Amino acid sequence: MYKIPQEKIDEVRSSINVVHYISQFVNLKKEGRNFKGLCPFHQEKTPSFVVSPEKQFYHCFGCGQGGNLYTFIMEYEKLSFIDAVTRAAEFAGITLPKAEVKDDQEVSHTQKLHEINETACYFFEKQLFKESNKKQLDYFLNRKLSHHTIKSFRLGYAADSFDLLLNHFKVKNSDLKLAEELGLIQKKQSGTDYYDKFRHRMIFPFFNLSGKIIGFGGRKLKEEQQPKYLNSPESIIYKKGQTLYGLSHAIQTIREDDFIVLVEGYFDLLRLVDAGLTNVVASSGTALTEQQAKLMSRFSKNVFIAYDGDGAGIKAAIRNAQIIENQELNAFIVPMPEGEDPDTFVLKYGIKDFRSLLDQRVLPIQFQLDSYAKKNPNPTMEQKDAFISEVLNELVEFKSTIKTGLYIHHLADKMQMNESMLISEMNRLRRKHIRFQQNRDNKQTTILETEPEKSSIRRGAYKAEEGILEILLNADNELQNFVIANTGNDLFENSDYKGLFEVILDELEESGEISIHGLYANPELNDNQHKILARLTIETFEKDIKYAQDCIFQLKKWSLEKSARDISQHIKAEEASPEAAMHYTVELNRVRKKIARLEREHQESKIRKFD
């Protein structure tokens, strides 16, 4: 397969002004710092298509389409990414290299990267078992992990030092530029020396299928550290969206048992392996990619999803089950009790009870129906209609007609609906979906495509989240640092905004600055996040400390108000138990005092500004 070197891709993009390229197809007129014209992706009479020469991005405020130079070429000229780069190179008069053949030099480069990672891994392991770092070893031991599991997965510790690993590399005569490429060290802004990237973090090495170290994940040990997990940047040996934590250790058992247990985090996996269940892999978060699903399909067709029993875990399990099933795998969801994850469950009840949970696994549609019934014991007609529409719209994307028919049967039975009516509605949605795919530039279907994003970002809480992202993307370092110091991902409710926030923090942690085009190329972002990023990059105005304080205040206030509402529900549920109701009442008063204090402090900060 022909592959264009990344540096050439960047060279082509940076050599072309996106305004000049798009002007071939759209009549653009200057308006302030940007250019504006009629959108080429949907029919409109009033121009809403904006192109930024400063940011080299475009965005339509009518239909939501947006992106960079390559996105425009791919969407407008209906080309693949490689063809889009080729078309842009022709426009710029740049000659692309011929198809690459992996030569000895490239193989040697890959080998050197593995060797540097191995050097770092061995160093982190030794640090963990030092007598002076007993507290860090106890971090794993206190979580009831055995020495065998710790050593088998080569867990380690990165000391709270700026040069300990760096000096080790120097002693070993390691290539520091390659170590920087792997994200293990970072060049100082002033001077030519480097500093350690992983500092005071517990280390989880990532392995490829042959057992070689390809990257690391580092969990923070101090509350003020950001991000919570610092991962190696992508490199020619590490692609996050194509890697599953623990797979190299699990392959043999997966083949023997013919099923995979998919969990979210490192400790979920380590707990199960430590307890004797070894056919486990972790997606390292809730976002599963198609490439990860395809990777699992190489070893088994059966995937048991054992995610957290909270709301986010339930949603992620349902979403990822669809990704898995669209790769022609058999997905099942394990009904994890509310408030539990595989780690805590096994610690409390043991591996035997967890295996019983695996035996209770259900089809994704059954899990979705059960979750809905639990959440809505007496649903209204509107709630039932909304749920049925949601499920049918998900089934439209299914590739397997057999599973689609099976799921419609389950849906009809549970919701007490006529099955033929559901099939008729399903066929109508499918025809609509096909028309949409065939006519992407039709106004109505394009608006339908982007409506979820448009409706969500205009709600109050999401506007504050959006404001935080705008500051991180466009403000100066001082304002960025103020926001980072006063917010966290726990304040975000919109999953797309939360994901962008985490990716932006990773970028700032790794390079000290934001590269919009680098963020846009991040494989962790979904289509909706790409659109949000393009819009926030173009839709900018001057942000000051007051704007940042207002956004932070709103997020913290909404978070506390949500807690107050949840506690109020507990009080109602515990009316029969005066003791329990009293406990929740005390907690509710505590939260309300926090809200009052937050409002008072915010008001005082405003008054000080006008003194």
Side-chain angles (χ1 to χ4, degrees), residues 209 242-244 247 291-299:
L209 296 182
Q242 300 173 21
T243 303
L244 288 165
L247 180 58
Q291 290 83 359
Q292 288 173 321
K294 288 177 181 177
L295 183 59
M296 285 189 282
S297 72
R298 292 168 55 184
F299 306 101

Side-chain angles (χ1 to χ4, degrees), residues 33-86:
R33 291 185 299 178
N34 298 326
F35 288 78
K36 206 169 189 180
L38 294 172
C39 180
F41 301 109
H42 79 282
Q43 297 296 319
E44 63 177 7
K45 295 181 180 179
T46 304
S48 59
F49 183 77
V50 179
V51 185
S52 169
E54 179 185 352
K55 301 294 180 67
Q56 292 294 296
F57 271 80
Y58 69 91
H59 179 78
C60 175
F61 291 91
C63 71
Q65 290 283 1
N68 62 9
L69 172 71
Y70 295 138
T71 314
F72 180 85
I73 298 174
M74 291 167 67
E75 293 292 333
Y76 187 78
E77 302 185 54
K78 308 299 182 188
L79 298 176
S80 67
F81 178 75
I82 294 295
D83 290 339
V85 176
T86 303

